[in-house]
């Protein structure tokens, strides 16, 4: 077997920013659900779900986890965004002018309607929209988390966003988007195949 | 593919180290760090938002610890202790003769619900000694419910000793004759049926902090 020199794809920094999110977000969402259980005002999950998932009667613990890990999530995310800005990699991630039109072609391609291959790029337009969108959602989560973590000190943020109750509702709603993102992301990674997955670990395609 | 195997191995080892670190981290409590950050960086002094009086509603009567005893409201007394001073005792009429504040603020429960409520009372700072020590502790007459406050939050202008809720005298389950209203803290700090107030240099114990919640509980 001849050794071909592997083609670099993802820099080390990006791989770390990516994988650190896995434990941090899992814990943020599970502790968030523990907190949500104490007042499940928006969606009533069935009792067996709370019970089986071990989310009941742990509010104090849930708040401790949430208010510890939030700093790691915020710092990791801020470093990721700064990295893409300073390295210039944002150019590959931010959608261009025709992104919506191109993303529609990506959807047609993924559904098997468009037969010809997509134009070669590190990230296609649908990916650019998704990856940039999830960063904007993260920013929305961050602002709302300030508004509900210290609602008196940051009351100006809460008031700009429709008050404490609204900020809390949206803070709960955005992670549903993350879970959707995650489900879709895993599906696409499975479809893209092993080499693509490996590149996020080793850095090479 | 040796390179790949090595990269996977490196990632696996480093990943396991990160997870182990995270696991250790989860054993520490973030509360002290968050309290310092709030008191030194974010600040504690801003005023809580006020609302139109007609938005006020009756909140749930949560938290009945300390209210079991039957008490005669006319015999109720407030005991106040401060370092280097003898105990001061106030009747409800004496408390009510202090400068009165009316405000409509949002009561926020640690569980996540919130309600706008209208309060009448007097700022706690009117009964504070001139150079108040670092902390304030408040307890119910039977001492079964107790809260601790940092000085800035206790002396905050919206921190009231309140005797009326939505224009009516407090009911027993809402803490008659006098309850603490402190919009810069979660509801758990809004102690009902105050029996004694202690100004102290030592951090007072707190009912919910003893049960794993954040002692500071600031908003």
């Amino acid at each position: 077997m001849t050794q071909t020199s592997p083609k670099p794809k993802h820099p080390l920094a990006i791989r770390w920013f990516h994988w650190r999110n896995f434990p941090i977000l899992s814990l943020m969402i599970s502790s968030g659900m523990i907190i949500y259980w104490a007042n499940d005002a928006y969606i009533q999950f069935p009792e067996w779900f709370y019970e089986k998932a071990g989310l009941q009667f742990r509010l104090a613990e849930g708040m401790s986890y949430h208010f510890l890990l939030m700093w790691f999530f915020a710092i990791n995310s801020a470093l990721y965004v700064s990295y893409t800005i300073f390295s210039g990699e944002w150019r590959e991630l931010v959608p261009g002018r025709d992104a919506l039109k191109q993303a529609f072609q990506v959807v047609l391609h993924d559904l098997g309607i468009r037969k010809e291959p997509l134009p070669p790029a590190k990230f296609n337009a649908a990916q650019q929209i998704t990856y940039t969108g999830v960063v904007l959602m993260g920013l929305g989560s961050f602002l709302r988390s300030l508004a509900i973590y210290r609602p008196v000190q940051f009351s100006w943020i809460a008031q700009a966003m429709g008050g404490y109750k609204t900020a809390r509702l949206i803070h709960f709603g955005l992670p549903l988007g993350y879970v959707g993102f995650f489900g879709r992301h895993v599906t696409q990674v499975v479809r893209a195949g092993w080499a693509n997955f490996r590149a996020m670990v080793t850095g090479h395609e | 593919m040796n390179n790949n195997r090595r990269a996977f191995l490196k990632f696996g080892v480093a990943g396991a180290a990160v997870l182990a670190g995270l696991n250790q981290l989860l054993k520490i409590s973030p509360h002290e760090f968050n309290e310092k950050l709030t008191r030194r960086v974010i600040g504690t002094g801003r005023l809580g938002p006020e609302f139109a009086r007609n938005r006020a509603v009756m909140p749930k009567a949560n938290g009945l610890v300390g209210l079991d005893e039957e008490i005669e409201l006319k015999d109720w007394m407030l005991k106040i202790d401060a370092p280097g001073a003898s105990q001061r005792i106030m009747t409800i009429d004496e408390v009510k003769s202090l400068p009165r504040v009316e405000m409509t603020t949002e009561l926020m429960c640690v569980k996540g619900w919130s309600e706008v409520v209208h309060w009448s009372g007097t700022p706690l700072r009117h009964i504070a000694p001139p150079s108040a020590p670092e902390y304030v502790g408040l307890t119910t007459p039977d001492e079964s419910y107790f809260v601790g406050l940092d000085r800035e939050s206790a002396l905050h202008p919206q921190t009231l000793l309140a005797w009326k809720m939505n224009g009516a005298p407090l009911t027993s389950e809402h803490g008659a004759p006098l309850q603490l209203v402190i919009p810069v803290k979660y509801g758990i700090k809004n102690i009902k049926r105050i029996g004694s107030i202690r100004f102290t240099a030592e951090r007072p114990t707190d009912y919910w902090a003893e049960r794993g919640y954040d002692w500071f509980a600031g908003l």
Side-chain angles (χ1 to χ4, degrees):
Chain A
M1 199 167 101
T2 51
Q3 184 110 22
T4 50
S5 81
K7 197 169 106 220
K9 189 175 179 188
H10 300 300
L12 183 68
I14 288 292
R15 283 177 277 148
W16 274 106
F17 289 133
H18 172 265
W19 285 109
R20 268 192 295 237
N21 274 330
F22 189 76
I24 294 176
L25 258 180
S26 313
L27 286 162
M28 280 306 279
I29 291 177
S30 52
S31 59
M33 283 301 294
I34 288 175
I35 296 170
Y36 181 71
W37 168 83
N39 179 39
D40 56 350
Y42 317 124
I43 297 174
Q44 266 87 39
F45 293 96
E47 212 46 44
W48 61 260
F49 168 75
Y50 291 124
E51 199 186 318
K52 288 274 185 292
L55 302 172
Q56 299 169 304
F57 310 109
R58 292 170 65 188
L59 177 59
E61 197 186 342
M63 291 176 83
S64 301
Y65 279 33
H66 212 69
F67 297 156
L68 174 64
L69 286 155
M70 63 181 190
W71 299 119
F72 292 89
F73 187 39
I75 291 167
N76 191 49
S77 308
L79 289 176
Y80 165 73
V81 172
S82 324
Y83 172 83
T84 58
I85 292 170
F86 289 113
S87 67
E89 284 170 50
W90 64 272
R91 287 188 195 89
E92 291 169 322
L93 288 158
V94 172
R97 196 164 301 195
D98 291 329
L100 273 182
K101 222 185 288 170
Q102 290 164 15
F104 183 62
Q105 292 301 314
V106 175
V107 173
L108 292 182
H109 177 264
D110 284 3
L111 293 172
I113 296 166
R114 176 188 154 121
K115 299 294 178 205
E116 60 269 39
L118 294 165
K122 186 166 179 179
F123 301 111
N124 66 44
Q127 285 176 304
Q128 289 172 337
I129 291 173
T130 313
Y131 295 151
T132 302
V134 85
V135 167
L136 293 178
M137 280 163 66
L139 183 65
S141 278
F142 176 70
L143 289 175
R144 273 152 191 106
S145 70
L146 289 181
I148 61 180
Y149 175 61
R150 292 290 183 250
V152 172
Q153 308 309 321
F154 294 116
S155 60
W156 55 278
I157 300 179
Q159 276 167 343
M161 292 173 171
Y164 177 72
K165 284 187 186 182
T166 310
R168 198 173 181 278
L169 169 66
I170 294 169
H171 184 83
F172 169 76
L174 281 169
L176 296 180
Y178 300 152
V179 173
F181 171 87
F182 178 75
R184 180 73 215 198
H185 182 57
V186 170
T187 319
Q188 292 292 55
V189 169
V190 169
R191 284 177 38 137
W194 172 248
N196 175 70
F197 175 78
R198 190 183 57 200
M200 200 32 117
V201 177
T202 65
H204 303 288
E205 187 126 56
Chain B
M1 289 289 103
N2 259 340
N3 273 344
N4 268 336
R5 208 166 298 151
R6 212 174 304 134
F8 263 99
L9 200 65
K10 263 197 274 179
F11 244 69
V13 171
V18 169
L19 283 182
L22 205 58
N23 203 36
Q24 285 304 109
L25 208 64
L26 291 175
K27 290 179 187 156
I28 65 159
S29 162
H31 298 324
E32 267 176 52
F33 168 78
N34 284 332
E35 175 178 342
K36 283 197 185 113
L37 183 85
T38 304
R39 292 174 79 173
R40 293 183 192 161
V41 183
I42 299 173
T44 55
R46 290 185 195 88
L47 292 178
E50 300 210 17
F51 301 83
R53 164 106 201 232
N54 63 13
R55 288 199 42 196
V57 298
M58 229 24 205
K60 304 177 209 184
N62 262 23
L64 304 175
V65 181
L67 307 181
D68 289 343
E69 246 180 350
E70 292 286 328
I71 59 162
E72 280 294 333
L73 287 186
K74 63 174 173 41
D75 299 334
W76 176 91
M77 298 279 185
L78 177 64
K79 299 188 200 118
I80 302 161
D81 288 285
S86 53
Q87 189 176 65
R88 184 172 157 205
I89 301 215
M90 291 181 88
T91 63
I92 191 70
D93 288 332
E94 284 169 326
V95 176
K96 286 181 182 172
S97 69
L98 293 168
R100 177 168 167 160
V101 164
E102 304 260 340
M103 65 181 193
T104 308
T105 51
E106 193 165 9
L107 173 67
M108 292 167 189
C109 180
V110 76
K111 287 178 163 185
W113 56 264
S114 63
E115 296 292 5
V116 172
V117 185
H118 181 83
W119 303 100
S120 320
T122 187
L124 174 77
R125 59 178 174 189
H126 288 314
I127 61 149
S131 53
E134 189 72 8
Y135 298 104
V136 183
L138 300 93
T139 64
T140 53
D142 68 359
E143 298 188 348
S144 62
Y145 196 76
F146 39 94
V147 301
L149 302 173
D150 52 285
R151 179 180 44 206
E152 308 95 88
S153 302
L155 304 184
H156 187 281
Q158 289 174 321
T159 299
L160 305 186
L161 299 169
W163 52 84
K164 271 185 175 179
M165 174 193 261
N166 297 332
L170 291 176
T171 59
S172 181
E173 61 171 11
H174 280 298
L178 195 67
Q179 86 150 98
L180 184 76
V181 174
I182 179 161
V184 294
K185 300 283 185 190
Y186 276 118
I188 49 176
K189 294 285 191 190
N190 293 242
I191 181 174
K192 298 170 177 178
R193 195 192 278 180
I194 305 165
S196 65
I197 301 178
R198 194 171 84 256
F199 294 89
T200 168
E202 273 152 59
R203 198 170 167 97
T205 52
D206 184 277
Y207 182 87
W208 286 109
E210 285 183 350
R211 284 154 183 80
Y213 288 86
D214 177 15
W215 183 92
F216 184 67
L219 294 173

